[in-house]
Amino acid sequence: MGRWWATPVVGAAGAWLASVFHWPLPWIIGSMLAVILVRCLGGPLGEIPYGRLSGQWMIATSIGLHFTPAVLEQILGHFVMMASAAVPTMLLALLGIAFMQRRGMDLTTAFFAFMPANFSEMIQAGIRHKANVSQIAAAHSMRLVLIVLCVPPAMFFTAQVSPSVVPARLPSDWHWLLPLLAGGALTAVIWKRCRLPNPWMFGPMACCAVVTAACNVQTALPVELSHYGQLMIGCALGGYFDRQFFRSSPAFLLKVSVFTVIMIMSTVGLAALIGLWLHVPLMTLALGMMPGSSTEMYLTAEALNLAVGVVTAMQIMRLVVVMLCAEPIHGAWLKYLRNRRM
């Protein structure tokens, strides 16, 4: 714990360097890459106490402030489409899991390692079902980092938008922000006590979304707090990696990387088909269906002036569908395999 103070310093230096080179989302990508590099070189960088949680709190508040009545109406109008789009992403993951299982990987480990859901919930499910938890953690870490490294730059390049162009933001009204930040923290604590998933992300987001929609709040989080949140999340992602991580099982990590890249490409292809059918913008659909973290997809959508509310709602819908269906599907799959052997 005594080494944690150097982590935000290294992360901030990486973010500054990424900003100089106009890299997309520099505060999250630059900080993450800087922390990974220093840790792989042997630098003693520790986890920032409550860093990831406070970063999620800031970003979740920013996301919730986008859910104005107009955005909520747009989400309700696309509800069936969003629910339907969550299913193909899960089916793609199941095809990949079946391939890994046929290649000799334990089904339970492959299932919870490659299912596109929250990191912590899949690890807990893996523990309950006696899977290889280290491989599950490694797979989800690689998936998140690869999506952060690949998707935002590809989106900016496709949209031909310079990352140095700052999108217009609403002014920050502290008469609303202070109670919303406090209310979000309180909601996160209650969310955690109720054992609901990802409390410091979904709790503040839900609190701010309800108040914003009910009162038509027109404000935004200051850019400095947004950068702080991105810095904390980037440092937390980078903290999963060091030399030992990459040496542990290079063949498995290569499989995870190939699987993730195929998932990204397949998701974009599915989004293009659905977009042509329903006349919905490709980039909005692709970000909404992407099997990554809602945080990075939201930040990318915000920077590209896309439908942030729709992207976030689609990400939440995917997580809900996966978390509700994952363990029942896993149980049915195991039962099917046992019946085949009899």
Side-chain angles (χ1 to χ4, degrees):
M1 293 298 291
R3 301 173 300 174
W4 70 264
W5 60 268
T7 305
V9 175
V10 171
W16 172 80
L17 194 60
S19 299
V20 170
F21 287 98
H22 302 304
W23 194 257
L25 306 185
W27 283 90
I28 192 166
I29 296 178
S31 60
M32 178 185 72
L33 290 177
V35 171
I36 291 174
L37 177 62
V38 172
R39 283 175 61 85
C40 286
L41 292 175
L45 299 184
E47 180 183 357
I48 303 170
Y50 306 105
R52 182 176 63 86
L53 298 184
S54 63
Q56 288 182 316
W57 177 31
M58 291 299 116
I59 300 301
T61 301
S62 182
I63 294 173
L65 292 171
H66 283 277
F67 284 85
T68 59
V71 171
L72 193 61
E73 184 179 349
Q74 186 181 20
I75 291 170
L76 292 174
H78 290 90
F79 183 82
V80 175
M81 179 273 292
M82 292 189 297
S84 303
V87 176
T89 304
M90 187 169 179
L91 291 176
L92 279 174
L94 290 173
L95 287 173
I97 292 165
F99 177 78
M100 292 297 179
Q101 189 255 339
R102 286 179 176 274
R103 298 286 292 179
M105 191 174 179
D106 170 61
L107 173 63
T108 300
T109 300
F111 191 91
F112 294 111
F114 295 103
M115 189 56 62
N118 278 335
F119 189 109
S120 56
E121 278 72 32
M122 291 300 98
I123 288 177
Q124 291 302 316
I127 292 171
R128 286 195 298 272
H129 293 278
K130 299 179 181 178
N132 187 326
V133 177
S134 62
Q135 286 193 339
I136 294 174
H140 283 284
S141 301
M142 284 294 292
R143 174 176 63 87
L144 290 176
V145 168
L146 283 172
I147 287 176
V148 170
L149 288 176
C150 296
V151 174
M155 290 291 180
F156 275 89
F157 177 78
T158 304
Q160 297 183 338
V161 175
S162 171
S164 61
V165 176
V166 180
R169 297 176 66 91
L170 291 169
S172 301
D173 185 350
W174 285 101
H175 292 94
W176 282 108
L177 285 175
L178 283 177
L180 283 174
L181 285 167
L186 179 61
T187 306
V189 172
I190 296 171
W191 203 278
K192 186 175 182 179
R193 289 193 175 183
C194 294
R195 297 184 179 180
L196 294 170
N198 210 350
W200 284 92
M201 193 70 196
F202 291 150
M205 187 194 305
C207 173
C208 292
V210 169
V211 174
T212 300
C215 303
N216 195 19
V217 177
Q218 299 290 328
T219 187
L221 199 70
V223 67
E224 293 80 9
L225 290 183
S226 178
H227 287 169
Y228 167 82
Q230 294 177 58
L231 174 65
M232 291 298 104
I233 292 172
C235 289
L237 285 173
Y240 294 128
F241 299 87
D242 54 19
R243 277 183 292 184
Q244 183 59 34
F245 177 90
F246 292 107
R247 289 174 177 172
S248 59
S249 182
F252 175 72
L253 295 178
L254 180 61
K255 289 178 182 178
V256 173
S257 301
V258 172
F259 177 88
T260 303
V261 172
I262 292 173
M263 279 288 288
I264 292 171
M265 295 171 65
S266 301
T267 300
V268 173
L270 280 171
L273 290 174
I274 296 172
L276 285 173
W277 178 35
L278 299 177
H279 305 290
V280 179
L282 168 61
M283 281 205 239
T284 299
L285 271 177
L287 286 174
M289 295 174 63
M290 198 61 62
S293 167
S294 55
T295 302
E296 291 78 28
M297 299 306 101
Y298 151 75
L299 290 168
T300 305
E302 183 185 50
L304 292 173
N305 285 318
L306 299 177
V308 173
V310 173
V311 169
T312 304
M314 288 182 70
Q315 287 287 327
I316 295 170
M317 188 78 69
R318 173 180 56 81
L319 292 174
V320 169
V321 168
V322 170
M323 289 170 63
L324 287 176
C325 299
E327 291 194 75
I329 291 175
H330 173 255
W333 200 336
L334 286 179
K335 185 178 179 180
Y336 168 75
L337 292 177
R338 282 195 296 267
N339 291 337
R340 280 189 61 186
R341 296 190 190 105
M342 293 175 64

